[in-house]
Amino acid sequence: PRAIAQTLDGVERVATIVRAMQEFAHPDGRQQAKADLNRALASTITVARSEWKDVAEVQTEFGEIPEVLCNLGDLNQAFLNILVNAAHAIADAAGATRKLGLIRVRTVLRGGFVVVTISDTGAGIPAERLPKLFEKFSRVPETAGAARLAHGPGLGVTICKQIAERHGGSIRVESELGRGSVFFVSLPRAK
């Protein structure tokens, strides 16, 4: 009975991951369609689980929000970039302590915009680097928490910014060294 229960639990987890992957990889081409961002974010969190499960807990606070007219594949990619890099920022901040951090994902309607907030308890980004964070090839030291978005060739946040702007929205970040970072993605509600 115990082995059967464990097998059923494993099968359910695999089914959840497969469903999330199908939603995440939605083959919608370049067409925009109305989409439920809460559902998209839940799928993206599931897809990113292997990145955050050992370093952070994820809390969601999904508000009652209207649909957004979007290319869901593009938005999923932007949210995935932010989530994965939040996990990396927490891992960098924890170092050898292996203390679990926290990633919070929230949605809310503000005026005519749906605002997605993704925060982490990573090391934060130095204030002097914030103005250039969204520039192509911006480099921020690895110890700068969510700055992993700008790690490597430095295109992560640039891509997120381009995606948000293509949808008539915006992205901004607030960060404090030693406390973490918060990314705000604002997207217009569907009409």
Side-chain angles (χ1 to χ4, degrees):
R2 184 174 177 200
I4 291 172
Q6 289 174 334
T7 300
L8 290 174
D9 183 51
V11 168
E12 181 56 36
R13 275 192 260 151
V14 168
T16 299
I17 292 169
V18 169
R19 281 191 300 273
M21 290 293 290
Q22 287 173 331
E23 287 183 24
F24 178 81
H26 187 306
D28 55 5
R30 302 311 304 162
Q31 291 282 25
Q32 288 196 346
K34 290 182 180 180
D36 177 349
L37 286 190
N38 287 341
R39 185 173 172 177
L41 284 161
S43 294
T44 303
I45 290 166
T46 300
V47 168
R49 186 175 191 281
S50 65
E51 294 289 338
W52 59 260
K53 69 177 179 156
D54 294 329
V55 298
E57 294 179 26
V58 173
Q59 291 180 352
T60 58
E61 295 176 30
F62 295 149
E64 290 189 31
I65 58 172
E67 292 182 322
V68 171
L69 185 63
C70 65
N71 176 292
L72 193 54
D74 282 354
L75 288 181
N76 282 340
Q77 187 61 55
F79 297 141
L80 180 66
N81 285 355
I82 296 169
L83 286 166
V84 166
N85 288 289
H88 291 175
I90 290 168
D92 289 348
T97 68
R98 302 193 51 87
K99 180 181 172 190
L100 281 183
L102 178 64
I103 299 171
R104 277 200 179 114
V105 182
R106 299 176 182 166
T107 58
V108 66
L109 178 64
R110 286 199 183 115
F113 288 84
V114 172
V115 179
V116 176
T117 305
I118 301 174
S119 63
D120 68 64
T121 57
I125 302 169
E128 66 273 9
R129 299 298 299 162
L130 287 174
K132 295 186 179 243
L133 188 66
F134 294 103
E135 292 178 8
K136 285 184 182 177
F137 305 108
S138 172
R139 286 190 155 279
V140 181
E142 282 188 44
T143 57
R148 281 252 193 156
L149 279 167
H151 187 272
L155 296 174
V157 289
T158 302
I159 291 169
C160 293
K161 181 180 179 188
Q162 290 170 351
I163 289 170
E165 288 176 350
R166 258 196 322 262
H167 287 84
S170 64
I171 183 171
R172 68 181 178 85
V173 63
E174 293 177 2
S175 188
E176 185 179 335
L177 282 177
R179 307 249 358 229
S181 300
V182 184
F183 282 81
F184 301 88
V185 180
S186 299
L187 301 161
R189 67 187 297 171
K191 296 185 182 187

